[in-house]
Amino acid sequence: MTGYTMLRNGGVGNGGQTWMLRWSNRIRLTWLSFTLFIILVFFPLIAHYYLTTLDEADEAGKRIFGPRAGNELCEVKHVLDLCRIRESVSEELLQLEAKRQELNSEIAKLNLKIEACKKSIENAKQDLLQLKNVISQTEHSYKELMAQNQPKLSLPIRLLPEKDDVGLPPPKLLRSCRLHNCFDYSRCPLTSGFPVYVYDSDQLAFGSYLDPLVKQAFQATARTNIYVTENADIACLYVILVGEMQEPLGLRPAELEQQLYSLPYWRTDGHNHLLISLSWKSNTQNLLYNVSTGRAMVAQSTFYAAQYRSGFDIVISPLVHAMSEPNFLEIPPQVPVKRKYLFSFQGEKIESLRSSLQEARSFEEEMEGDPPADYDDRIIATLKAVQDSKLDQVLAEFTCKNQPKPSLPTEWALCGEREDRLELLKLSTFALIITPGDPHLVISAGCATRLFEALEVGAIPVVLGEQVQLPYQDVLRWNEAALVVPKPRVTEVHFLLRSLSDSDLLAMRRQGRFLWETYFSTADSIFNTVLAVVRTRIQIPAAPIREEVAVEIPHRSGKAAGTDPNMADNGDLDLGPVETEPPYASPKYLRNFTLTATDLYRNWNSAPGPFHLFPHTPFDPVLPSEAKFLGSGTGFRPIGGGAGGSGKEFQAALGGNVPREQFTVVMLTYEREEVLMNSLERLNGLPYLNKVVVVWNSPKLPSEDLLWPDIGVPIMVVRTEKNSLNNRFLPWNEIETEAILSIDDDAHLRHDEIMFGFRVWREARDRIVGFPGRYHAWDIPHQSWLYNSNYSCELSMVLTGAAFFHKYYAYLYSYVMPQAIRDMVDEYINCEDIAMNFLVSHITRKPPIKVTSRWTFRCPGCPQALSHDDSHFHERHKCINFFVKVYGYMPLLYTQFRVDSVLFKTRLPHDKTKCFKFI
């Protein structure tokens, strides 16, 4: 206890023991460190020595620490898997290394190819630049040669005559007036545009004597005519309304003549003046009979031979519908062809010439000597004999039941009221018109009225008397709508009428209906026709027709159009080049100033149309039959086989006589932006596409943030005045191609289908060529027409939701087709495609052409359209029957013709493969 205390307190007595403890501790640490050093250094060396020396023993049993032979070490189970993995990884590494070397080699080769391609591109650019320079030089040389050989002619400077210029010296006899000696051509140059000055009837001295209704109708049509000008100094023609006068006449011929000669632009002889007398109520007025009209032309319905100057004066139709449009629903249909009466005639002759029959001579004796003055007695006897024979049911009455209408001497007066006469004509296949017995009476208003009424209700006119001058006879082929028989052949009339076939009767009735609608029906048609006759005679081309000015809706574009795999999957078929140059418009109509001279005979003597009655269009074709009334063009450009080659050459080029041509897509849409954008994107890369005209039919503008796709061609978004399906066929001025592809915004067509349709249309440019076919059928129980969309091997319509047609028909649809049809389309918001099919079939008398076997074309997943409504088909039934009433017959024609390409893959269900297809 004491020692412990001392040690703890550091006593001196224990100092040696403390030092020993510290020294022993250091020795232990040093020894421990030395021992660890020996173990960590020498043992590994010794082990390494034994492992390297003992393995050299010859006997395998003495190899204790060396590696075992073979795979003895891998016999251990958990080591075996590791060995297998090691071997597999080693093999893969070797393979990857080999591939890496191979890829490096390929990369080197591709780099060489890239360098070669870059050099080729540079060379090609140089070659292209050289070619462009050569082309530019060639074009420049060509223009120089053209300028040398065909110098460009500017429009001649128009030199107007002096106001008081008399012009040509007057002819010796005013009855010998013709255009060459009584008309001043210097006032009407080819480039004048045919300006017409119309005297204000209220300012005329005799204006108070004019019938108020006639004057009002004339002034209304003059205000809307495109040729009328208010500047009398530049006028080519001066028009004066001189009749019809109010009854009783309060103006003597001498007074009328004096007032005419006092007109401000009469210039002493009235050259380049046109005096128009419109017959409305009276059939006896011939105001200008004893009036010296100088060198002024006269247009009226009654002429005596002493006053009629052939090729100078104009026989016109009476003004029956003064201020009202004809009601198409009251006009009888053109079928059935044969009606109750074979022919009919009602009239009474108030005053007759002394007939040679009264001299007790036979008909043969009369023909041997001088011709009789009046054949009316023989006509009466012959017609009564036909009526009494009962071979055919005819009606011939030569005495009016009521007081006959006033008439000229030797003229057959009209019986009854107009409504009663029309009811009889509706029951007559033919309408007899007996010309006046006086050979000096060239035409009378009474005969013209009979002709008007017969054409109006579809009774084919039979004119007895070849000496008569029918309205506009020098420019219309009346033999296509009427029969003109000399009076001596009255005994053969019955045989002649019975020999006509039903097809001939229907053709004549249809042509007569066309003539009536175009030239006779209204004040507008009469005034337009009179001006067209004068303009055509002096060989001035028609004014350009009005086009709809497209009001573009601003929109943003730039969205990259994607590629629809269905659109691009054309296999090895090369559809043609995608246009990278600016859009190529169709050549404009360039024969305006020469057509009237070169085609004068054809237009006047063979064309049933109005010899340029209406303004010409930029792409004027000449169509057969009824359509020739717009024939101021040279015809549809013929497209045939040319240098298109075969196989790949045919695929890559259009060929034909017009090897370079494009088409315009017109797409109607209404507030379906997503569907519209998808449809526009599907047009990306479409060959021969000129531009896309989107007709925005909604009053609500597109969304401001809507990004329109960039498809490589211009997209024109057109704003419309109202929501109307008729806007689809407006002749927009932005459409610069003849070919129009009308397509719905939800239509789904492949590029190869579109191109095939375009090729087919180029071979049949006057027809509708498209994809969805439909047909009409007669409903026997209800005695009406039906619209049918079921699959059929026969069709009569091709819907314009996916069809090609000529822009010419857009003008006809918008400006010429009866307004009642467009009103029906607006009322139902339906049937515009049926209306277009009716129009084209009526004009061409040809059915449309269906291409490919597809019957539907709607895109999958698109919102339902109007056609899915239950009332859709009922409205289309009504439309067809209404259109038939307007046209007077069913113009649609059936066809079993369908065009398929040998390159087009047709897939038909097994139960729908019995249709014939033409390749």
Side-chain angles (χ1 to χ4, degrees):
M1 187 66 169
T2 305
Y4 173 74
T5 303
M6 291 176 64
L7 180 61
R8 184 178 181 184
N9 294 331
V12 180
N14 296 329
Q17 189 177 356
T18 301
W19 178 85
M20 289 297 293
L21 289 173
R22 291 179 178 176
W23 181 81
S24 62
N25 289 335
R26 290 178 180 175
I27 292 176
R28 284 197 297 269
L29 290 174
T30 302
W31 175 252
L32 181 60
S33 299
F34 178 77
T35 304
L36 291 174
F37 176 77
I38 295 298
I39 293 173
L40 295 176
V41 174
F42 287 97
F43 276 19
L45 293 176
I46 295 172
H48 182 269
Y49 171 77
Y50 276 100
L51 289 175
T52 55
T53 57
L54 295 178
D55 287 342
E56 296 177 358
D58 294 335
E59 296 181 4
K62 296 181 180 180
R63 295 169 56 203
I64 301 173
F65 300 102
R68 299 178 183 271
N71 294 328
E72 294 179 1
L73 187 61
C74 296
E75 292 178 357
V76 183
K77 185 176 182 180
H78 65 278
V79 181
L80 185 61
D81 294 336
L82 296 176
C83 293
R84 189 182 304 111
I85 293 173
R86 184 188 66 182
E87 294 175 356
S88 176
V89 170
S90 300
E91 293 178 358
E92 291 180 359
L93 290 174
L94 292 175
Q95 294 176 0
L96 291 175
E97 179 64 21
K99 289 183 178 180
R100 186 183 67 82
Q101 296 177 358
E102 183 180 354
L103 291 175
N104 287 336
S105 176
E106 292 181 359
I107 290 173
K109 294 179 180 179
L110 292 176
N111 288 332
L112 294 176
K113 291 183 179 181
I114 290 173
E115 293 298 328
C117 290
K118 288 181 179 180
K119 293 181 180 180
S120 300
I121 292 174
E122 292 298 329
N123 295 333
K125 288 182 178 180
Q126 295 295 329
D127 294 340
L128 179 60
L129 182 60
Q130 293 178 1
L131 289 175
K132 287 183 177 180
N133 293 333
V134 172
I135 292 174
S136 178
Q137 294 175 1
T138 305
E139 291 178 350
H140 184 70
S141 301
Y142 174 76
K143 291 179 180 179
E144 289 181 350
L145 291 175
M146 293 295 294
Q148 294 175 3
N149 299 324
Q150 296 180 354
K152 185 177 181 181
L153 297 178
S154 301
L155 294 178
I157 300 176
R158 186 177 182 186
L159 300 177
L160 294 176
E162 297 294 335
K163 182 177 180 180
D164 298 330
D165 178 38
V166 177
L168 298 174
K172 294 181 180 180
L173 296 175
L174 293 179
R175 287 189 54 188
S176 62
C177 261
R178 299 297 183 268
L179 289 175
H180 69 277
N181 58 3
C182 286
F183 190 85
D184 186 5
Y185 280 90
S186 65
R187 301 196 64 89
C188 306
L190 293 176
T191 59
S192 64
F194 191 60
V196 177
Y197 178 79
V198 179
Y199 284 88
D200 188 354
S201 300
D202 294 328
Q203 302 298 326
L204 297 175
F206 54 86
S208 58
Y209 296 99
L210 295 173
D211 186 279
L213 193 59
V214 173
K215 181 168 61 175
Q216 182 181 357
F218 179 78
Q219 292 175 342
T221 186
R223 282 193 298 266
T224 59
N225 192 275
I226 61 175
Y227 297 105
V228 173
T229 178
E230 296 181 358
N231 188 355
D233 294 334
I234 66 171
C236 165
L237 185 69
Y238 300 84
V239 179
I240 309 170
L241 179 65
V242 297
E244 176 177 85
M245 296 287 186
Q246 300 183 67
E247 299 283 359
L249 293 177
L251 191 66
R252 292 179 298 177
E255 296 175 346
L256 178 59
E257 180 178 335
Q258 180 181 2
Q259 294 177 9
L260 288 176
Y261 276 76
S262 64
L263 292 174
Y265 305 103
W266 188 261
R267 300 185 181 92
T268 70
D269 59 1
H271 61 275
N272 289 47
H273 275 65
L274 174 64
L275 308 179
I276 298 180
S277 178
L278 298 174
S279 299
W280 180 45
K281 292 182 179 180
S282 174
N283 292 327
T284 59
Q285 284 192 13
N286 189 2
L287 301 173
L288 303 175
Y289 180 62
N290 291 320
V291 176
S292 175
T293 57
R295 293 199 293 175
M297 291 178 285
V298 177
Q300 59 184 21
S301 300
T302 300
F303 277 104
Y304 280 96
Q307 66 178 137
Y308 179 71
R309 296 163 293 185
S310 179
F312 192 72
D313 295 328
I314 305 173
V315 179
I316 64 175
S317 171
L319 181 64
V320 177
H321 299 284
M323 292 299 295
S324 61
E325 295 287 337
N327 188 353
F328 291 99
L329 299 181
E330 295 180 356
I331 299 175
Q334 299 183 27
V335 290
V337 176
K338 295 181 178 179
R339 299 175 178 176
K340 178 180 179 180
Y341 299 111
L342 176 64
F343 64 83
S344 65
F345 176 80
Q346 283 183 326
E348 183 173 342
K349 200 165 189 179
I350 307 301
E351 181 180 352
S352 174
L353 294 176
R354 185 176 59 86
S355 174
S356 60
L357 294 175
Q358 298 174 352
E359 299 179 359
R361 292 191 299 169
S362 65
F363 184 74
E364 290 76 8
E365 292 174 344
E366 295 164 5
M367 299 307 297
E368 291 177 359
D370 295 334
D374 197 348
Y375 282 98
D376 289 351
D377 292 342
R378 178 169 293 278
I379 291 174
I380 294 173
T382 301
L383 297 182
K384 285 184 176 180
V386 174
Q387 188 175 16
D388 296 338
S389 66
K390 305 297 183 181
L391 294 176
D392 290 290
Q393 193 170 359
V394 299
L395 190 149
E397 297 178 352
F398 304 101
T399 304
C400 295
K401 298 177 181 179
N402 300 319
Q403 182 68 23
K405 301 295 181 181
S407 61
L408 295 174
T410 73
E411 180 187 17
W412 287 92
L414 296 171
C415 295
E417 299 298 328
R418 166 177 157 81
E419 292 74 14
D420 299 330
R421 298 195 299 269
L422 292 181
E423 289 300 322
L424 175 61
L425 292 174
K426 290 178 182 179
L427 301 176
S428 306
T429 304
F430 296 93
L432 290 185
I433 302 175
I434 304 176
T435 59
D438 186 359
H440 301 292
L441 186 58
V442 176
I443 183 63
S444 66
C447 286
T449 301
R450 290 181 181 273
L451 180 66
F452 180 97
E453 294 176 350
L455 295 176
E456 181 178 4
V457 297
I460 300 174
V462 180
V463 182
L464 291 178
E466 80 284 0
Q467 81 283 356
V468 69
Q469 289 290 327
L470 298 179
Y472 322 116
Q473 184 167 335
D474 55 343
V475 290
L476 296 181
R477 281 190 71 176
W478 276 105
N479 60 347
E480 294 186 355
L483 295 174
V484 180
V485 182
K487 285 186 177 181
R489 293 191 180 277
V490 63
T491 56
E492 302 173 320
V493 168
H494 186 210
F495 166 79
L496 178 63
L497 300 185
R498 295 191 65 181
S499 64
L500 292 174
S501 63
D502 289 353
S503 59
D504 292 336
L505 294 178
L506 184 59
M508 296 182 70
R509 183 173 295 165
R510 184 171 59 246
Q511 184 67 8
R513 169 73 176 271
F514 162 74
L515 295 179
W516 176 78
E517 290 181 0
T518 309
Y519 309 116
F520 306 144
S521 58
T522 64
D524 284 340
S525 60
I526 294 176
F527 187 64
N528 290 334
T529 305
V530 171
L531 294 185
V533 170
V534 178
R535 179 178 49 76
T536 306
R537 284 176 176 177
I538 61 178
Q539 302 180 2
I540 294 181
I545 197 169
R546 177 176 62 91
E547 288 192 303
E548 291 295 324
V549 178
V551 179
E552 185 177 7
I553 299 177
H555 60 281
R556 293 189 304 156
S557 60
K559 175 185 176 183
T563 302
D564 190 334
N566 294 326
M567 301 296 104
D569 186 14
N570 298 314
D572 297 332
L573 182 60
D574 184 4
L575 300 180
V578 179
E579 299 294 340
T580 58
E581 299 295 329
Y584 176 76
S586 297
K588 296 291 185 180
Y589 185 67
L590 301 176
R591 291 189 60 200
N592 298 345
F593 299 111
T594 58
L595 177 69
T596 52
T598 57
D599 292 350
L600 197 61
Y601 177 82
R602 178 181 62 83
N603 284 322
W604 282 17
N605 296 278
S606 62
F611 45 90
H612 316 213
L613 173 59
F614 295 99
H616 72 78
T617 70
F619 315 107
D620 261 342
V622 171
L623 302 175
S625 187
E626 295 92 332
K628 288 185 180 177
F629 70 97
L630 285 174
S632 54
T634 60
F636 282 112
R637 294 171 178 82
I639 304 296
S646 59
K648 183 177 181 181
E649 292 80 7
F650 174 79
Q651 299 173 21
L654 286 175
N657 297 323
V658 184
R660 187 181 184 190
E661 186 174 18
Q662 296 178 345
F663 62 90
T664 302
V665 169
V666 176
M667 187 177 296
L668 187 73
T669 186
Y670 186 90
E671 296 184 2
R672 298 200 295 181
E673 295 181 354
E674 183 179 357
V675 175
L676 174 64
M677 295 302 107
N678 292 335
S679 296
L680 291 176
E681 288 188 7
R682 285 195 290 270
L683 299 177
N684 184 32
L686 180 61
Y688 304 109
L689 179 59
N690 181 272
K691 71 174 61 170
V692 178
V693 176
V694 177
V695 181
W696 191 264
N697 223 22
S698 171
K700 180 182 177 182
L701 296 180
S703 303
E704 295 182 358
D705 57 347
L706 182 63
L707 194 61
W708 295 70
D710 183 5
I711 60 175
V713 297
I715 297 179
M716 174 72 65
V717 185
V718 178
R719 185 175 185 176
T720 57
E721 295 181 357
K722 64 176 182 178
N723 178 20
S724 173
L725 293 180
N726 293 315
N727 295 333
R728 178 194 298 272
F729 302 124
L730 286 175
W732 302 105
N733 61 340
E734 291 295 333
I735 302 176
E736 299 178 318
T737 60
E738 296 183 22
I740 295 177
L741 172 58
S742 175
I743 190 169
D744 288 340
D745 58 359
D746 58 354
H748 194 273
L749 294 173
R750 298 198 306 270
H751 286 186
D752 61 311
E753 293 175 316
I754 295 176
M755 287 310 305
F756 180 63
F758 182 47
R759 288 180 180 273
V760 174
W761 177 85
R762 282 165 49 85
E763 302 291 340
R765 304 170 75 89
D766 60 336
R767 301 163 79 171
I768 298 177
V769 176
F771 302 89
R774 301 292 186 267
Y775 66 97
H776 66 289
W778 180 251
D779 184 9
I780 297 179
H782 298 88
Q783 293 295 295
S784 62
W785 294 102
L786 295 177
Y787 170 85
N788 202 313
S789 63
N790 295 330
Y791 184 92
S792 172
C793 295
E794 194 170 57
L795 59 98
S796 59
M797 292 174 282
V798 167
L799 302 187
T800 54
F804 286 92
F805 63 90
H806 200 285
K807 187 181 179 182
Y808 183 73
Y809 295 123
Y811 296 100
L812 297 185
Y813 185 98
S814 302
Y815 304 139
V816 179
M817 188 179 68
Q819 181 63 37
I821 296 179
R822 294 190 292 271
D823 293 340
M824 185 77 166
V825 171
D826 287 337
E827 178 182 355
Y828 284 158
I829 316 180
N830 198 344
C831 307
E832 84 288 355
D833 46 2
I834 300 178
M836 178 59 82
N837 278 270
F838 265 71
L839 174 66
V840 177
S841 295
H842 171 68
I843 294 297
T844 63
R845 303 305 304 137
K846 296 177 183 179
I849 296 179
K850 173 176 170 51
V851 293
T852 77
S853 62
R854 292 187 59 181
W855 206 254
T856 59
F857 58 96
R858 300 293 180 188
C859 61
C862 290
Q864 288 190 352
L866 296 174
S867 59
H868 291 81
D869 192 354
D870 294 338
S871 62
H872 175 75
F873 286 95
H874 297 288
E875 293 173 349
R876 294 174 85 81
H877 299 330
K878 296 179 181 178
C879 287
I880 286 185
N881 289 281
F882 179 79
F883 296 165
V884 169
K885 290 182 179 178
V886 173
Y887 283 100
Y889 74 112
M890 169 54 75
L892 298 180
L893 300 173
Y894 292 108
T895 180
Q896 298 178 2
F897 182 82
R898 192 189 84 206
V899 182
D900 281 345
S901 171
V902 294
L903 303 176
F904 183 81
K905 298 179 180 179
T906 303
R907 300 180 180 88
L908 289 177
H910 63 87
D911 58 340
K912 298 178 181 179
T913 57
K914 295 182 180 180
C915 295
F916 292 100
K917 63 179 180 179
F918 299 83
I919 299 177

